[in-house]
Amino acid sequence: MNTIRKIGLLLLIAGIVLFTASLFLSDFRADRSAIESVLNEKEQQHLLDPLTDVLTSTEASSAFALSKTIRSTYTAVNDSLRKSEKWDEVMYAEPRELASRIARASVTGTVAENRGLWLFLTFGLAIAGGLMFILPNVVLKPHPGIKNDHVFQSKATARGWIGWIVFGWLVGFYILLYFYPDLTISWALIADPVSQWIKGQPGDRWFLYGLMYCTVMVVMGIRMFVKYRGNKYQTLRTASVVFFQVCFAFLIPELMMRFNMPAMDFKNIWPLDYDFFFSWNIDQKLQAGTLGLFMMIWGTLLIIVAVPVFVYFFGKRWYCSWVCGCGGLAETLGDPYRQLSDKSLKAWKIERWLIHGVLVFAVVMTGLTLYTYFSGVSQVWFADTYDIQKTYGFLIGSVFAGVIGTGFYPVMGSRVWCRFGCPLAAYLGLVQRFKSRFRITTNGGQCISCGNCSTYCEMGIDVRWYAQRGQNIVRSSCVGCGICSAVCPRGVLKLENGPEEGRISDDPILIGREGVRLNGSVMGDRRG
């Protein structure tokens, strides 16, 4: 079985290496018809001839060289228009997006000509290798029970050199995905066979990302089933987040696009879905007629009805640990790193300021967005609505949620985004803290202070501190994943939905060598 695991690990690494190498295996031959096919009317008027001249005279050997040529030509033409004060003719395309369109139309090489083969060599090998590495644990560890052996000695899960390599790859992947679409054409081509099958269109970087996201969650979800088998709560929770991600966040929106309907992730909620009230989204939905109107009403009801009602009865876990795709990736791909979350008081203070600051940012941006939509005025005092939207999308939607939120798993733990940045988690948490039936109850008399609960809390909560005092755990950051309860060897912790009365207690019961203390008063002394 160990041999199978080693072979599986090699196949997994091979798939990842080939996926990375595919970036350098494409050539580009641009002709006039290919360039013209991806330019709009204004771009054709000003860019078709200059781009045709410069791109057809030489063959670009890399996406980087092609992109550089396109971007420099675009900038030169635009600068000339500005110099001539032809303001109505100035183009406002994102240069790298323009380069991406042209690169896609002119790509050649082994990846473009063998897309199905490369899908197998990357996704296929990685999936097979991952399963070969995971499934033998059913035999090697035949008895159900959570095994976290040697996690602080492993170079992969204790910020060792393997962990830093994974960190570097994840950060690099997200930077390329979000900010350099012109350099990732080969990756989009790999997803083409699946994209054509599902929605009848060529794949793009976002389809590739959705496919990767779902693939990783399914494979690592199987790992969760193996590791936490025997724990019904963890099994059902994992199945739930995988289902909602694959079906609601990926398949349904893609299939809607196939039938020319506006795509929507029906489980995504503002302010996590921060562009829900952007004008382009509202207009798109309203133009879709009854279906689009239903989508707008559905999304609004989720915000003002579903969140407070469901959090009241079940806590924020109903979303963060059972539905959310961000939480689902953290619980599957991020599970090996959950012990790396910072439990210090300093981290907690930073967490509170950051996550609530992002929530305020999202609320202010949305308020300005709606004001602009109904009034037509984008400038409000010193702020421009579109600049604020762009800033939020870059800093929060891309850098924080993607590059940091997932890329930092191997060094900061699995819930970096959920803990420090997600505005929806902040909204859910405020409701949970002050108006909810959910709590984690503790039996302080049974606590042996092993620290497992605190160690494996991905949200950085020092669970043991509460358990030792017999206090209910009522924290706005708690996502109710239940791992603290699952790893407790004494059954001290229990996730409950009960009456609000007595849910929050400030009178800890302290049991120690000097006796039992209730709110500082000695109740008894076992020594005497």
Side-chain angles (χ1 to χ4, degrees):
M1 287 297 174
N2 280 320
T3 301
I4 294 176
R5 296 187 80 231
K6 291 178 181 178
I7 294 173
L9 182 60
L10 290 175
L11 291 177
L12 174 63
I13 294 173
I16 295 173
V17 169
L18 288 171
F19 179 79
T20 306
S22 68
L23 289 176
F24 310 99
L25 299 177
S26 291
D27 296 319
F28 301 88
R29 297 190 186 95
D31 56 36
R32 186 179 182 88
S33 61
I35 298 171
E36 186 176 12
S37 67
V38 296
L39 299 181
N40 60 37
E41 185 176 346
K42 181 184 288 188
E43 291 168 349
Q44 288 181 19
Q45 179 183 352
H46 297 292
L47 289 174
L48 183 57
D49 290 334
L51 285 175
T52 300
D53 292 341
V54 71
L55 293 179
T56 57
S57 60
T58 58
E59 178 179 323
S61 58
S62 68
F64 179 82
L66 178 74
S67 175
K68 184 178 180 180
T69 301
I70 294 171
R71 287 184 287 118
S72 62
T73 303
Y74 172 81
T75 301
V77 171
N78 247 359
D79 288 345
S80 176
L81 292 172
R82 291 189 179 97
K83 187 175 181 180
S84 302
E85 298 186 355
K86 298 178 179 179
W87 305 113
D88 292 340
E89 299 181 30
V90 172
M91 297 168 288
Y92 295 97
E94 166 57 43
R96 289 195 178 274
E97 289 289 351
L98 173 66
S100 176
R101 280 186 272 147
I102 297 174
R104 181 60 191 262
S106 57
V107 65
T108 63
T110 180
V111 179
E113 296 166 4
N114 303 279
R115 302 177 194 191
L117 174 62
W118 275 90
L119 179 66
F120 168 76
L121 292 176
T122 53
F123 280 79
L125 289 183
I127 292 170
L131 293 177
M132 289 174 66
F133 186 78
I134 291 166
L135 292 178
N137 279 330
V138 176
V139 176
L140 294 174
K141 301 175 181 179
H143 303 293
I146 301 169
K147 312 294 192 301
N148 284 318
D149 306 351
H150 309 298
V151 291
F152 286 109
Q153 284 75 46
S154 170
K155 294 179 178 62
T157 58
R159 301 190 184 97
W161 63 271
I162 297 177
W164 283 104
I165 289 176
V166 175
F167 162 78
W169 192 92
L170 287 173
V171 169
F173 168 78
Y174 274 94
I175 290 175
L176 287 173
L177 177 75
Y178 280 113
F179 308 120
Y180 297 92
D182 48 326
L183 305 183
T184 59
I185 298 302
S186 294
W187 284 353
L189 293 176
I190 290 173
D192 262 1
V194 183
S195 179
Q196 292 286 0
W197 179 62
I198 292 178
K199 64 177 182 179
Q201 299 176 16
D204 57 16
R205 56 175 168 155
W206 301 122
F207 183 88
L208 166 83
Y209 183 48
L211 181 63
M212 286 188 66
Y213 206 107
C214 292
T215 300
V216 169
M217 277 189 61
V218 169
V219 173
M220 293 299 286
I222 293 173
R223 174 188 173 276
M224 291 288 286
F225 292 143
V226 172
K227 180 177 179 180
Y228 295 96
R229 66 189 187 278
N231 189 309
K232 185 177 180 180
Y233 184 83
Q234 298 303 325
T235 301
L236 292 175
R237 189 172 66 87
T238 301
S240 176
V241 292
V242 171
F243 166 78
F244 277 103
Q245 173 60 33
V246 174
C247 294
F248 279 71
F250 184 61
L251 290 179
I252 291 177
E254 296 296 344
L255 288 172
M256 293 179 74
M257 293 176 62
R258 185 184 185 102
F259 295 104
N260 296 318
M261 294 185 288
M264 180 176 180
D265 179 356
F266 284 92
K267 66 174 180 52
N268 207 1
I269 306 175
W270 178 92
L272 179 60
D273 183 13
Y274 64 88
D275 57 8
F276 181 76
F277 292 108
F278 282 14
S279 59
W280 63 264
N281 185 59
I282 297 176
D283 291 340
Q284 182 188 61
K285 297 294 190 297
L286 295 181
Q287 290 168 9
T290 303
L291 176 61
L293 182 61
F294 167 76
M295 290 177 174
M296 290 301 301
I297 294 174
W298 172 268
T300 304
L301 289 177
L302 285 178
I303 300 166
I304 63 177
V305 177
V307 167
V309 170
F310 280 94
V311 172
Y312 174 75
F313 285 105
F314 306 109
K316 66 190 287 187
R317 60 175 170 162
W318 78 270
Y319 189 81
C320 295
S321 288
W322 287 76
V323 174
C324 180
C326 301
L329 191 68
E331 293 294 340
T332 52
L333 176 63
D335 182 71
Y337 309 110
R338 63 170 57 250
Q339 68 278 356
L340 300 179
S341 61
D342 193 338
K343 313 300 191 299
S344 68
L345 182 61
K346 180 180 179 181
W348 180 47
K349 292 179 178 179
I350 294 173
E351 168 194 333
R352 289 186 298 166
W353 279 103
L354 270 180
I355 195 168
H356 293 109
V358 173
L359 176 60
V360 171
F361 191 175
V363 170
V364 171
M365 177 189 68
T366 301
L368 292 174
T369 296
L370 291 173
Y371 175 79
T372 296
Y373 181 79
F374 289 108
S375 69
V377 178
S378 63
Q379 191 74 27
V380 183
W381 294 320
F382 60 88
D384 183 272
T385 298
Y386 301 110
D387 288 342
I388 292 177
Q389 291 176 349
K390 187 174 181 180
T391 300
Y392 188 97
F394 173 76
L395 292 178
I396 309 302
S398 299
V399 175
F400 207 157
V403 178
I404 297 175
T406 302
F408 279 47
Y409 280 1
V411 295
M412 288 185 64
S414 58
R415 288 264 190 175
V416 182
W417 165 245
C418 310
R419 181 182 177 187
F420 293 99
C422 178
L424 178 56
Y427 173 30
L428 293 162
L430 289 172
V431 179
Q432 174 173 276
R433 177 64 177 82
F434 297 106
K435 196 66 177 177
S436 176
R437 294 165 60 88
F438 173 73
R439 82 291 307 274
I440 300 179
T441 59
T442 62
N443 183 349
Q446 292 293 315
C447 180
I448 58 174
S449 298
C450 66
N452 281 350
C453 52
S454 294
T455 297
Y456 296 104
C457 177
E458 58 195 348
M459 299 304 293
I461 300 172
D462 188 2
V463 181
R464 179 175 59 178
W465 188 88
Y466 294 91
Q468 289 172 331
R469 290 158 175 77
Q471 283 185 279
N472 291 343
I473 300 168
V474 182
R475 287 277 291 272
S476 61
S477 58
C478 178
V479 294
C481 68
I483 296 296
C484 60
S485 176
V487 298
C488 178
R490 300 280 289 175
V492 171
L493 304 162
K494 185 177 180 181
L495 281 68
E496 294 184 359
N497 299 315
E500 285 190 76
E501 294 77 13
R503 174 173 172 263
I504 300 176
S505 173
D506 295 322
D507 298 322
I509 299 175
L510 307 180
I511 302 175
R513 293 181 60 187
E514 71 282 0
V516 179
R517 293 177 178 270
L518 175 61
N519 198 25
S521 301
V522 177
M523 297 176 62
D525 192 332
R526 66 179 181 178
R527 294 177 296 175

